[in-house]
Amino acid sequence: MSDLVPGGNRDVALVDLVDRLISGGVVVSGDIVLSVADVDLVYLGLRLVLAPAGTVEATVPLSRGLRPQ
Amino acid sequence: MSHLVYAVVPAAAASGLVALDWHPQVAVGGPLGLVHEVTDRRPEPEAATVVGYGRRQLELGEVAGASLPMRFGSVVADEAALHELFAERGEEWLERLDVVAGCVELVVHAGPADTVRDAGAPDPPSRRSGRSYLEERARAQRAATALAAEVHDVVRPLVRESRLLPAAPAAPEATRLACLVPREAVDGLTAVVADWSGHRGVTARVSGPLPVLDFVDRPEEETS
């Protein structure tokens, strides 16, 4: 998976992918594995990836409309 | 045991998919197939797991020629449940497979300089008062809406469909337009966006190719 803009940031492109994978796609009526809390954990993980070492926020607003529809 | 579902594909593509190195299974119901993996564990809610799932979906789309990717974490109890899905959704899925055949998703992010941030970035700090903050957000929203229309006009000749995505919380002034793009037009769209952003004096980037996650449903209204 690569950002098509020359010199683009690969980590940023991966965040886009995760954002779409959690928000889009076919929803079936079976058991959706990810609970809301689990989705927030994914985003928390991404912020840890992108933040410089030692600057992880103690209070990250996790519920900002980024939940499965 | 349960079934982690990856995508809907044409049944004719099933034999090519089971040869992939991760050996997915394909449940066939008439003209459709559901690609799945039998598992005794729920997928971990970690970025690496999500990305790996997405990479497999992109591969499925390439090999099958057309696929409708599932939302990450879609699990059904057993094979019978898979076949129930064909009965419930088969007609709709057949129609959408036709639309997305040969395509990938690209997302065009555009906005004033330094506003195009990733979806997961924290909000920038604001030192304004409540009222001026709200006015600033409203102005940013109007600017993003106008920019979205401009981007749509730029890419329209190269896309099959487009969908306006919600603004990333960290960048309310930036617009995100998801585009359903034939594979052969991917380079062309990237070039057109780069050329437009240079002339227009805005920041723009194109991310992808992604599985066609925002085009699995019929559009609410025609956008292209």
Side-chain angles (χ1 to χ4, degrees), chain B residues 4-223:
Chain B
L4 176 64
V5 190
Y6 284 87
V8 182
V9 296
S15 59
L17 297 179
V18 296
L20 293 173
D21 60 11
W22 51 285
H23 306 298
Q25 298 187 35
V26 184
V28 175
L32 295 171
L34 272 167
V35 184
H36 63 103
E37 189 175 42
V38 179
T39 177
D40 58 359
R41 292 182 306 173
R42 292 185 161 196
E44 294 296 321
E46 295 174 354
T49 307
V50 178
V51 169
Y53 182 87
R55 288 185 187 278
R56 286 182 170 181
Q57 289 182 321
L58 199 60
E59 184 180 37
L60 289 171
E62 287 178 18
V63 175
S67 71
L68 300 177
M70 292 288 167
R71 182 164 297 182
F72 174 69
S74 296
V75 171
V76 297
D78 49 37
E79 283 250 4
L82 288 172
H83 288 278
E84 282 175 22
L85 292 174
F86 291 130
E88 289 173 17
R89 311 282 296 271
E91 188 179 326
E92 168 198 347
W93 285 346
L94 266 177
E95 178 190 318
R96 291 308 298 172
L97 276 177
D98 221 30
V99 173
V100 306
C103 293
V104 292
E105 178 171 330
L106 298 178
V107 180
V108 180
H109 307 248
D114 297 330
T115 60
V116 180
R117 306 189 196 91
D118 61 275
D123 285 344
S126 173
R127 296 190 177 85
R128 295 174 179 267
S129 67
R131 176 174 172 169
S132 61
Y133 171 77
L134 289 173
E135 287 174 347
E136 180 183 333
R137 298 282 292 207
R139 181 200 57 76
Q141 180 60 45
R142 287 193 297 271
T145 300
L147 192 60
E150 220 177 303
V151 172
H152 180 239
D153 285 344
V154 168
V155 302
R156 188 186 347 221
L158 295 169
V159 308
R160 207 169 279 180
E161 287 183 6
S162 62
R163 308 279 170 94
L164 187 61
L165 300 178
E173 315 91 334
T175 196
R176 299 194 298 164
L177 187 71
C179 302
L180 183 65
V181 185
R183 290 178 189 277
E184 62 272 16
V186 165
D187 288 346
L189 185 142
T190 306
V192 158
V193 169
D195 186 56
W196 165 78
S197 69
H199 284 107
R200 181 67 173 75
V202 299
T203 299
R205 68 177 172 86
V206 178
S207 61
L210 307 176
V212 296
L213 292 150
D214 290 293
F215 299 96
V216 297
D217 297 315
R218 295 186 186 108
E220 290 183 3
E221 56 180 53
E222 291 297 322
T223 55

Side-chain angles (χ1 to χ4, degrees), chain A residues 1-6 10-34 38-39 41-43 45-47 49-50 57 61 64 66-69, chain B residues 42-43 45-47 50-51 53-55 57-58 68-75 85 88-89 93 105-106 109 118-123 165 169 176 186 190 205-211 213-214 216:
Chain A
M1 209 71 50
S2 61
D3 190 324
L4 298 183
V5 176
R10 183 173 177 80
D11 285 340
V12 172
L14 290 177
V15 171
D16 285 342
L17 171 61
V18 172
D19 175 60
R20 301 327 307 146
L21 279 163
I22 289 174
S23 308
V26 175
V27 178
V28 298
S29 56
D31 174 25
I32 300 297
V33 173
L34 281 187
D38 289 346
V39 171
L41 282 174
V42 173
Y43 276 86
L46 288 172
R47 291 196 178 90
V49 167
L50 297 174
E57 299 170 50
R64 291 184 289 181
L66 297 175
R67 294 169 186 260
Q69 294 170 8
Chain B
R42 292 185 161 196
E46 295 174 354
V50 178
V51 169
Y53 182 87
R55 288 185 187 278
Q57 289 182 321
L58 199 60
L68 300 177
M70 292 288 167
R71 182 164 297 182
F72 174 69
S74 296
V75 171
L85 292 174
E88 289 173 17
R89 311 282 296 271
W93 285 346
E105 178 171 330
L106 298 178
H109 307 248
D118 61 275
D123 285 344
L165 300 178
R176 299 194 298 164
V186 165
T190 306
R205 68 177 172 86
V206 178
S207 61
L210 307 176
L213 292 150
D214 290 293
V216 297

